Amino acid sequence: MKLAMIGFGQAGGKIVDKFVEYDRQRNAGIVRAAVAVNSAKADLLGLKNIPKDQRVLIGQSRVKGHGVGADNELGAEIAEEDIDEVQGAIDSIPVHEVDAFLVVSGLGGGTGSGGAPVLAKHLKRIYTEPVYGLGVLPGSDEGGIYTLNAARSFQTFVREVDNLLVFDNDAWRKTGESVQGGYDEINEEIVNRFGVLFGAGEVKDGANVAESVVDSSEIINTLAGGGVSTVGYASEGVEPKKKSGGLLSRITGGNEADDNLDTAHTTNRITSLVRKAALGRLTLPCEIEGSERALLVLAGPPEHLNRKGIERGRKWIEEQTGSMEVRGGDYPIPGAGKVASVILLSGVTNVPRIKELQQVAIEAQDNIEEIREESDSNLENLVNDDEDELESLF
């Protein structure tokens, strides 16, 4: 699947930058074009892989390149005002070669959480290609203002995109690790999971063709209908393919028995990986029952993939989700040292984290208003205590 990726804000820019690196290292052909948009000049300068002419600084007249200070209302205003500058970078993208747009943003900050929904709305108005969002929720320990930003951005973003893929930092941060180390690891997880998902189906000359092809239309159909999506992932290391056909093997006929054993083994491995991916850590933890649509991708060396295992895995997902729209296929990667299972669950609705986020955000909003009112009252009391005795300058 060929994507035009736009990273909005600090987190969004870093994730897209990581995607470009991933794409280059694996020659995956996923990122057809990459753009970074920010109101903070330092964040744009810190990127390593996105071309400099595809980095757009917005809001210079308002914030002078210093960011919006976690004010996502200001972030949205700046995005609206400078949308033509963002469009200027997008104009250089060969849209006829793109399957979809992916707008990537952290939802807790200011520029990205405010600007990403604005950009998504703009893109949907102009282009016929699907516009997806990839939103990263802040950790619950990051503070009330970031939770409030995330809740407001989430409910706006999900309405403006064709589907919102969500990654929850809260489920992935480890205790005791540095902030930078934590975010680097999280970005690695995001790129690995979505890299395998979006990379499936890309066939180059001379490459192995999948037994059951997963291409961009399968992903688009799974994401069709809108809503929220989450991705599960599990992998297992495998031994490189051994050369067979030695004299003893030919005399005893051992090769055929080995093949049968290998088939049973690979089938069992695949079904086990499918279960681990669905029931392990999802990018957005949720109950998988009730998911409207699902897509299963098995990636790895061709000799370790088989149709029987994929069909069993697909049927198991159907039973667990209750969905009749479960697609599946394989993505052969010759010479890979592992087999990976990626599951895209789309249209999920039983998501406790979102409910909790919204509740905490409402409380934070009430607290902020209460503190402001109390602050105004305290200032009034402080200044006006001796008002009768003092004359004002003007």
Side-chain angles (χ1 to χ4, degrees), residues 127-140:
Y127 300 101
T128 56
E129 286 75 15
V131 177
Y132 304 127
L134 172 51
V136 181
L137 297 177
S140 56

Side-chain angles (χ1 to χ4, degrees), residues 29-48:
I30 303 165
V31 186
R32 187 63 192 85
V35 176
V37 184
N38 210 318
S39 61
K41 190 175 183 180
D43 291 341
L44 292 175
L45 291 173
L47 302 175
K48 298 174 183 174

Side-chain angles (χ1 to χ4, degrees), residues 81-382:
E81 290 168 8
D82 290 356
I83 198 71
D84 289 344
E85 289 186 39
V86 181
Q87 183 61 49
I90 295 169
D91 283 340
S92 65
I93 296 173
V95 177
H96 61 283
E97 297 177 15
V98 165
D99 296 311
F101 290 93
L102 183 66
V103 181
V104 186
S105 170
L107 301 186
T111 304
S113 72
V118 171
L119 176 60
K121 182 178 182 180
H122 171 80
L123 293 173
K124 281 192 72 176
R125 194 171 63 242
I126 294 177
Y127 300 101
T128 56
E129 286 75 15
V131 177
Y132 304 127
L134 172 51
V136 181
L137 297 177
S140 56
D141 60 348
E142 290 186 40
I145 186 65
Y146 298 101
T147 300
L148 178 56
N149 281 350
R152 296 181 70 192
S153 180
F154 175 87
Q155 71 174 26
T156 312
F157 205 8
V158 75
R159 291 186 189 125
E160 299 300 342
V161 292
D162 290 298
N163 200 294
L164 182 60
L165 304 146
V166 181
F167 192 98
D168 180 16
N169 273 351
D170 217 34
W172 292 87
R173 285 283 295 277
K174 295 175 184 172
T175 55
E177 68 184 349
S178 70
V179 173
Q180 187 57 50
Y183 286 132
D184 287 346
E185 197 168 313
I186 284 167
N187 290 350
E188 194 82 36
E189 281 288 349
I190 292 171
V191 170
N192 280 338
R193 288 173 177 237
F194 291 102
V196 174
L197 174 66
F198 293 126
E202 282 299 316
V203 180
K204 298 176 178 65
D205 291 341
N208 292 71
V209 178
E211 281 194 37
S212 180
V213 176
V214 176
D215 60 18
S216 58
S217 65
E218 302 287 325
I219 301 170
I220 289 168
N221 288 336
T222 304
L223 293 172
V228 175
S229 291
T230 182
V231 175
Y233 177 88
S235 65
E236 186 178 307
V238 293
E239 291 291 323
K241 187 177 181 181
K242 294 176 181 176
K243 292 182 180 178
S244 58
L247 178 61
L248 182 61
S249 171
R250 288 198 298 272
I251 292 170
T252 60
N255 233 14
E256 187 179 343
D258 286 346
D259 284 348
N260 290 337
L261 180 65
D262 285 345
T263 301
H265 181 61
T266 54
T267 300
N268 289 336
R269 175 191 283 127
I270 286 170
T271 52
S272 173
L273 284 173
V274 169
R275 290 174 186 234
K276 284 179 183 175
L279 302 176
R281 273 199 300 183
L282 299 168
T283 58
L284 175 66
C286 67
E287 296 296 328
I288 69 172
E289 185 182 351
S291 301
E292 292 175 12
R293 299 166 300 279
L295 173 66
L296 166 65
V297 178
L298 267 298
E303 64 272 16
H304 288 277
L305 306 175
N306 67 51
R307 186 185 293 274
K308 189 176 180 182
I310 293 166
E311 284 306 310
R312 275 193 190 175
R314 195 179 61 76
K315 187 165 178 53
W316 180 83
I317 295 170
E318 274 187 7
E319 292 167 358
Q320 296 298 308
T321 61
S323 170
M324 296 304 292
E325 274 194 75
V326 179
R327 299 167 175 85
D330 57 312
Y331 175 24
I333 310 172
K338 64 183 178 182
V339 176
S341 167
V342 177
I343 297 174
L344 169 64
L345 298 168
S346 184
V348 297
T349 51
N350 190 352
V351 190
R353 173 74 170 112
I354 297 298
K355 297 294 182 190
E356 177 202 332
L357 183 83
Q358 290 168 336
Q359 188 56 46
V360 172
I362 290 168
E363 290 172 10
Q365 185 169 270
D366 291 344
N367 287 341
I368 288 168
E369 287 174 5
E370 194 176 306
I371 289 166
R372 280 176 183 161
E373 287 173 9
E374 192 176 320
S375 176
D376 289 344
S377 173
N378 289 341
L379 179 62
E380 192 77 17
N381 291 337
L382 176 68

Side-chain angles (χ1 to χ4, degrees), residues 65-76:
H66 300 305
V68 298
D71 182 346
N72 62 356
E73 286 188 17
L74 179 57

Side-chain angles (χ1 to χ4, degrees), residues 8-72:
F8 218 118
Q10 184 185 41
K14 284 186 174 180
I15 292 166
V16 171
D17 204 54
K18 194 77 180 168
F19 259 114
V20 176
E21 182 186 27
Y22 173 99
D23 201 53
R24 190 181 298 140
Q25 287 174 348
R26 290 162 180 77
N27 194 26
I30 303 165
V31 186
R32 187 63 192 85
V35 176
V37 184
N38 210 318
S39 61
K41 190 175 183 180
D43 291 341
L44 292 175
L45 291 173
L47 302 175
K48 298 174 183 174
N49 302 291
I50 296 173
K52 289 184 179 178
D53 61 349
Q54 292 296 88
R55 304 177 195 180
V56 183
L57 182 63
I58 60 171
Q60 291 185 71
S61 61
R62 301 276 295 272
V63 296
K64 319 295 183 190
H66 300 305
V68 298
D71 182 346
N72 62 356

